[in-house]
Amino acid sequence: MSLARHLIFLGAPGAGKGTQAQRLAQYLGLPHVSTGDMLRASVQSGSDIGRRAAAVMDSGALVSDDIIVGIVAERLTLEDAVAGVIFDGFPRTVYQAHALDQLLQDSGGVISAVLHIALDDEEIVVRLSGRRVCSGCGAIYHERYHPSLVTAVCDQCGGSLVQREDDQPDVIRKRLAVYQAETAPLIAYYHDRPAYHQIDGHGEADEVFARIVEAVREKD
């Protein structure tokens, strides 16, 4: 039986890794696995690790690395993960990356591609701070890339468009600082591996996806 070939997406908030991970999952026919989805599924399953995660979340605390790794181990035993998965949001820390390496060594499987979507901070601020959400129906717009026909008015329901607190420039820059401190060291961890590939995140989504597909083909 061939080894499972797993892919990892890295990138700052707003770099587009979630969108691109979903597209690549469809393209390759592999499951798209996000940390949030894994947590919810594990809790709903009622498994031992799921019950531990639920107790932590119910207390308002952050789920520990060990629980996250346990949930990943559980997810990789499912039938749809036999050929591999596309990780989105995992690993988040070097500790989790070490644990994933050990897990794959023990269970069989390899990391076939680490796709780092690189985008400068100011472009991320522009992308995120330009988002507007309809207070009525929840439709999403962007002042530059997808503006409404009438400024600050939803095309679909006529509701007012608002900027979420998380999309304010100061808040975005704080999120980026947290990313640099906690998650960016993963780039150094994976950088010298043959599987690592830096993807230019500038341009239209289709352009970025084409670069990702080219990188994945190079790793085959």
Side-chain angles (χ1 to χ4, degrees):
M1 188 173 81
S2 60
L3 291 174
R5 292 162 56 84
H6 306 294
L7 296 90
I8 294 171
F9 271 85
L10 301 178
K17 63 181 181 294
T19 299
Q20 297 294 351
Q22 290 177 348
R23 291 186 65 171
L24 189 63
Q26 292 183 333
Y27 179 81
L28 296 177
L30 296 176
H32 169 244
V33 175
S34 73
T35 303
D37 288 344
M38 283 189 292
L39 274 170
R40 286 186 288 272
S42 185
V43 169
Q44 290 172 1
S45 74
S47 65
D48 177 62
I49 195 74
R51 290 194 297 271
R52 289 172 58 196
V56 172
M57 290 188 290
D58 288 344
S59 73
L62 294 175
V63 179
S64 68
D65 281 344
D66 287 338
I67 291 178
I68 293 293
V69 172
I71 287 172
V72 170
E74 181 181 69
R75 179 64 181 83
L76 293 181
T77 64
L78 299 184
E79 185 176 352
D80 68 345
V82 170
V85 304
I86 294 179
F87 286 113
D88 174 11
F90 177 87
R92 287 189 183 276
T93 64
V94 171
Y95 177 92
Q96 291 180 5
H98 277 297
L100 177 61
D101 283 342
Q102 187 62 54
L103 176 64
L104 296 182
Q105 181 178 329
D106 294 342
S107 63
V110 296
I111 298 171
S112 64
V114 178
L115 303 163
H116 168 213
I117 301 181
L119 195 63
D120 62 80
D121 285 359
E122 286 311 304
E123 176 63 20
I124 290 174
V125 172
V126 169
R127 286 189 181 186
L128 296 183
S129 64
R131 286 196 302 203
R132 297 294 183 269
V133 180
C134 177
S135 56
C137 68
I140 298 176
Y141 297 84
H142 194 283
E143 289 190 328
R144 176 186 293 183
Y145 304 114
H146 178 45
S148 57
L149 296 175
V150 179
T151 302
V153 177
C154 178
D155 296 343
Q156 299 182 32
C157 73
S160 59
L161 303 183
V162 298
Q163 183 185 49
R164 296 182 302 192
E165 183 177 348
D166 282 352
D167 290 337
Q168 295 177 4
D170 288 348
V171 176
I172 295 167
R173 290 189 175 92
K174 288 178 182 178
R175 290 169 61 194
L176 291 172
V178 171
Y179 166 77
Q180 291 295 336
E182 296 182 357
T183 311
L186 281 171
I187 297 169
Y189 182 81
Y190 287 118
H191 188 273
D192 293 332
R193 298 191 184 192
Y196 176 85
H197 204 107
Q198 180 169 304
I199 308 295
D200 181 2
H202 295 83
E204 298 295 327
D206 287 347
E207 296 173 328
V208 177
F209 185 65
R211 295 171 194 143
I212 290 169
V213 170
E214 182 180 0
V216 171
R217 285 174 175 167
E218 287 178 4
K219 301 303 179 187
D220 289 339

